[in-house]
Amino acid sequence: MGAMAMPAVTGNPSAAAERRPAMILLAELRNFTRMSEMLEPAQELELASEFFSLAAQDVSAHGGEVYATHNDALLAVFSSGSAADEAEAAVTAARQIQLDFAALAETWQEKFGLRTAVAVALHFGDTVFGRCGPAGLEGRVAFGDAVSIAERLVHRARAGEFVFSDAVLAAMAASDLDLDPDPLPPLELARRSPIKIFGLLLDTRLDFT
């Protein structure tokens, strides 16, 4: 998931290409694949759309921009202000997504008998923005290392957990956020120093991934 794209558009794919620092947020449904095996395709897509709409609303409410959906994950970007401002906005949005999803998860459990939750990850780093893809099918993308690291972080997160990197924590130092995250085992990547990461639980860690 080094790049995630929106639906195809036409035109010059190199137009407005740029590299800038951004907070990359990934929100991923957990246990939805199992639940979806019980559903008709149209119903599965309807529920996924409910989640994406909820997450997109919280992202937009805090000044972020949804860039893509892929399978059961949503990618959003916060990049219009200072690092401290964007950290505060992105962290607030991430926690709000988990809080707001609780009611939706309760409804789904009542109807379908299976629990779902959201894992959220946040990383801060240089990101390439623009459009790319096969000729004639170019789409808007957020591309690069920051997106790849955010994807790895969301895979590290458990259901109901919000995981973020030390780059986000450093940006938060100048914000008004009052967090008490738990240090987690660092993210190990080939040919580079380990990345320190931290986690926050919505309530208690759930017993499914």
Side-chain angles (χ1 to χ4, degrees):
M1 197 188 291
M4 296 183 72
M6 292 292 280
V9 294
T10 59
N12 180 5
S14 64
E18 62 175 329
R19 187 193 311 271
R20 65 179 187 269
M23 294 281 171
I24 304 297
L25 182 150
L26 272 164
E28 184 178 72
L29 272 174
R30 293 296 169 83
N31 217 35
F32 184 71
T33 300
R34 182 182 173 197
M35 187 175 80
S36 66
E37 292 171 352
M38 306 165 49
L39 306 174
E40 294 297 324
Q43 192 174 41
E44 178 182 350
L45 296 178
E46 180 181 349
L47 297 187
S49 292
E50 288 182 11
F51 162 66
F52 290 139
S53 295
L54 179 151
Q57 181 176 337
D58 287 336
V59 165
S60 297
H62 293 91
E65 185 178 8
V66 173
Y67 254 71
T69 61
H70 177 69
N71 197 17
D72 51 7
L74 177 141
L75 170 73
V77 172
F78 295 77
S79 64
S80 60
S82 68
D85 289 343
E86 296 308 327
E88 185 167 359
V91 169
T92 303
R95 300 177 80 184
Q96 194 64 50
I97 289 169
Q98 290 185 314
L99 289 170
D100 289 345
F101 183 74
L104 189 57
E106 184 176 351
T107 298
W108 290 0
Q109 184 173 0
E110 291 174 355
K111 288 185 176 180
F112 308 109
L114 283 174
R115 293 190 297 166
T116 51
V118 179
V120 186
L122 189 63
H123 180 62
F124 178 64
D126 282 347
T127 305
V128 172
F129 295 95
R131 293 173 30 236
C132 71
L137 296 174
E138 297 88 355
R140 188 178 66 162
V141 298
F143 187 90
D145 191 56
V147 179
S148 296
I149 290 174
E151 182 194 25
R152 288 175 179 265
L153 292 182
V154 83
H155 290 165
R156 283 284 299 269
R158 303 280 291 185
E161 188 173 29
F162 168 37
V163 172
F164 52 91
S165 66
D166 55 352
V168 176
L169 189 65
M172 285 193 293
S175 74
D176 294 328
L177 289 172
D178 183 17
L179 302 177
D180 186 22
D182 295 319
L184 301 175
L187 179 65
E188 302 280 353
L189 300 173
R191 298 182 297 278
R192 63 189 300 169
S193 300
I195 297 175
K196 294 179 180 179
I197 64 175
F198 305 86
L200 288 168
L201 291 173
L202 176 62
D203 185 6
T204 56
R205 183 172 287 149
L206 304 176
D207 59 0
F208 56 90
T209 58

